[in-house]
Amino acid sequence: MAKLKTTFFCQNCGNQYAKWQGQCNACKAWNTIVEELVQKPEKSDWKTPSSTVKRAATPLLVNEIDTSKEPRLDTHDSELNRVLGGGIVPGSLTLLGGEPGIGKSTLLLQISLKLPYRTLYVSGEESQKQIKMRAERISSKKSNCYILTETKTQNIFKQIEVLEPDVVIIDSIQTLHSDYIESSSGSISQIKECTTELIKFAKETATPVLLIGHITKDGHIAGPKILEHMVDTVLQFEGDRNHVFRILRAHKNRFGSTNELGIYEMQGSGLREVSNPSEILISKKDEELSGNAIAATLEGMRPLMIEVQALVSTAVYGTPQRSATGFNAKRLNMLLAVLEKRAGFRLGAKDVFLNITGGITVDDPAIDLAVVASILSSNEDVSLQKDFCFAAEVGLSGEIRPIQRVEQRIIEAEKLGFSTIFVSKYNKISLKNTSIKIQLISKIEDLVGFIV
């Protein structure tokens, strides 16, 4: 029998050491280094379905490489297709992460039931009966989805060799283990080995593989950070379990943009695609309230109308509080300083709370003007008209700066019934015959005249 070899891995970052030590040199975490067995067996009678004889790769001139577009697999889910960049790329490895109970398994099971291709759904966390009950709740149509409850990669590849699926879904990567590694499931070495085997299978057979990954208490995908570098696409499923809306983002995408956003609504029958997110991000109210402003923003190629809420009140404890949800707190402090310096509003002794409704986080500087408008509205206790919206960046000298793709934002605001949109007068706008009034302003004092 081959001698077993052991080494030491940091359970936080995956860094490898020859001997134990108290602190990891890479991530500076204490007491995270654990000894693991890493010796692989020298011989094995198991072979992957992709272990066929292949010609070695040869170098090609860059001009000789075929650049014809590879066909993508349609997921029959417009939100997922948008985030992935048009569909699933054959031979790609996609990692989906999210908090427990957010709906990762529901999303991928729902996709696997919709796909017209032969799909293998491998679960290491639930039994076949549990998955069947959830599948009946999600869809009642006939499906090409096969369910396998297995955690050993060697057995999974034997079933793949028999079934020859077009798509493989693994739920989840932390539950798999390989005979090549003697450590327990979920350890650093097991996750890396199992992912490596799946990558080899996906690339050699052009079969796309979708993985579900657990999330740590810090919000990162569990396992070594190198796992995110190994896969082609990293998707993050976000949202509050107490709310019905879920947001799908791409943190890494080798085949498309990482700026796109997918929005779902959690229902009893599964996840519903939200085709017009502006309607859910703007609250429905009969009476006008102070501190509310509508901003026109962009997520990737999709224009969104979001509601910005602000509350300005006298500081009770002496030290003013600055709190922002869904918005950069440092940028909020900057805008408050601009209001005090350029517009003369004394906000230094007041608490300011800011919230982006819908539970989303926005980094677009074009919502600066809406943030300023909501703060002024709350400070003066004057409500803004419901059919006003804003799209501009605010500079340190109080100037209203132009933004990108302003015409796309104007068209979206007009489509949703807004009567007036405030933009920078330095934006070049070529739109004609629009029903929405385009109000051009150059400095923050101009905005004050419309609100106060």
Side-chain angles (χ1 to χ4, degrees), residues 245-261:
F245 298 113
R246 305 286 188 268
I247 298 171
L248 185 66
R249 298 178 185 271
H251 286 188
K252 170 190 175 181
N253 192 355
R254 287 175 177 162
F255 312 111
S257 171
T258 57
N259 297 323
E260 295 296 341
L261 183 79

Side-chain angles (χ1 to χ4, degrees), residues 69 110 118 120 135 165 188 211-212 245 280 293 392 396 408 438:
K69 188 176 181 181
Q110 185 171 304
R118 180 176 294 182
L120 178 62
I188 299 293
L211 309 175
I212 291 179
F245 298 113
I280 68 167
L396 287 178
Q408 196 173 351
I438 302 174

Side-chain angles (χ1 to χ4, degrees), residues 28 79 83 103 132 185 228 270 366 406 423:
K28 305 302 180 183
E79 299 296 304
V83 175
K132 169 66 174 177
S185 301
E228 298 184 29
V406 66
V423 298

Side-chain angles (χ1 to χ4, degrees), residues 179-190:
D179 281 345
Y180 282 178
I181 301 293
E182 295 294 331
S183 56
S184 60
S185 301
S187 61
I188 299 293
S189 52
Q190 279 288 6

Side-chain angles (χ1 to χ4, degrees), residues 212-438:
I212 291 179
H214 293 167
I215 290 292
T216 64
K217 61 182 180 180
D218 297 327
H220 303 296
I221 294 177
K225 195 68 178 177
I226 194 173
L227 180 61
E228 298 184 29
H229 296 286
M230 294 167 69
V231 301
D232 299 308
T233 306
V234 179
L235 304 179
Q236 187 81 7
F237 209 35
E238 305 171 351
D240 189 346
R241 282 178 292 175
N242 299 321
H243 293 81
V244 296
F245 298 113
R246 305 286 188 268
I247 298 171
L248 185 66
R249 298 178 185 271
H251 286 188
K252 170 190 175 181
N253 192 355
R254 287 175 177 162
F255 312 111
S257 171
T258 57
N259 297 323
E260 295 296 341
L261 183 79
I263 300 182
Y264 295 88
E265 181 183 3
M266 178 63 81
Q267 297 180 340
S269 57
L271 292 161
R272 182 184 72 85
E273 304 167 38
V274 178
S275 57
N276 188 6
S278 298
E279 295 182 356
I280 68 167
L281 296 175
I282 300 176
S283 60
K284 307 295 188 296
K285 50 184 181 295
D286 295 330
E287 57 185 25
E288 296 180 355
L289 302 173
S290 64
N292 291 351
I294 307 300
T297 183
L298 288 174
E299 283 287 346
M301 297 300 294
R302 167 188 279 187
L304 296 177
M305 307 299 292
I306 61 174
E307 184 175 354
V308 180
Q309 296 180 332
L311 177 62
V312 180
S313 61
T314 304
V316 179
Y317 302 105
T319 303
Q321 300 182 65
R322 302 285 188 261
S323 176
T325 303
F327 189 73
N328 192 328
K330 292 183 178 180
R331 194 165 186 86
L332 172 62
N333 291 331
M334 183 199 77
L335 295 175
L336 292 174
V338 172
L339 278 174
E340 186 148 352
K341 178 74 173 180
R342 305 298 178 186
F345 288 91
R346 302 303 175 193
L347 301 172
K350 295 185 178 181
D351 294 335
V352 179
F353 303 93
L354 191 75
N355 177 46
I356 306 296
T357 61
I360 69 171
T361 301
V362 182
D363 297 324
D364 187 4
I367 73 169
D368 285 355
L369 195 60
V371 170
V372 169
S374 63
I375 292 172
L376 292 178
S377 171
S378 178
N379 184 60
E380 301 297 320
D381 200 18
V382 176
S383 61
L384 298 171
Q385 293 189 32
K386 291 191 293 185
D387 53 359
F388 279 9
C389 63
F390 306 86
E393 182 182 354
V394 177
L396 287 178
S397 59
E399 81 276 17
I400 307 301
R401 299 175 59 84
I403 56 174
Q404 296 181 346
R405 290 164 41 201
V406 66
E407 295 182 356
Q408 196 173 351
R409 306 172 198 254
I410 294 173
I411 293 172
E412 178 72 9
E414 182 182 14
K415 188 195 309 180
L416 293 175
F418 289 92
S419 65
T420 306
I421 182 169
F422 292 80
V423 298
S424 171
K425 81 171 194 176
Y426 304 109
N427 266 117
K428 296 180 181 179
I429 302 173
S430 59
L431 290 175
K432 297 180 180 179
N433 301 323
T434 56
S435 60
I436 187 172
K437 180 182 178 182
I438 302 174

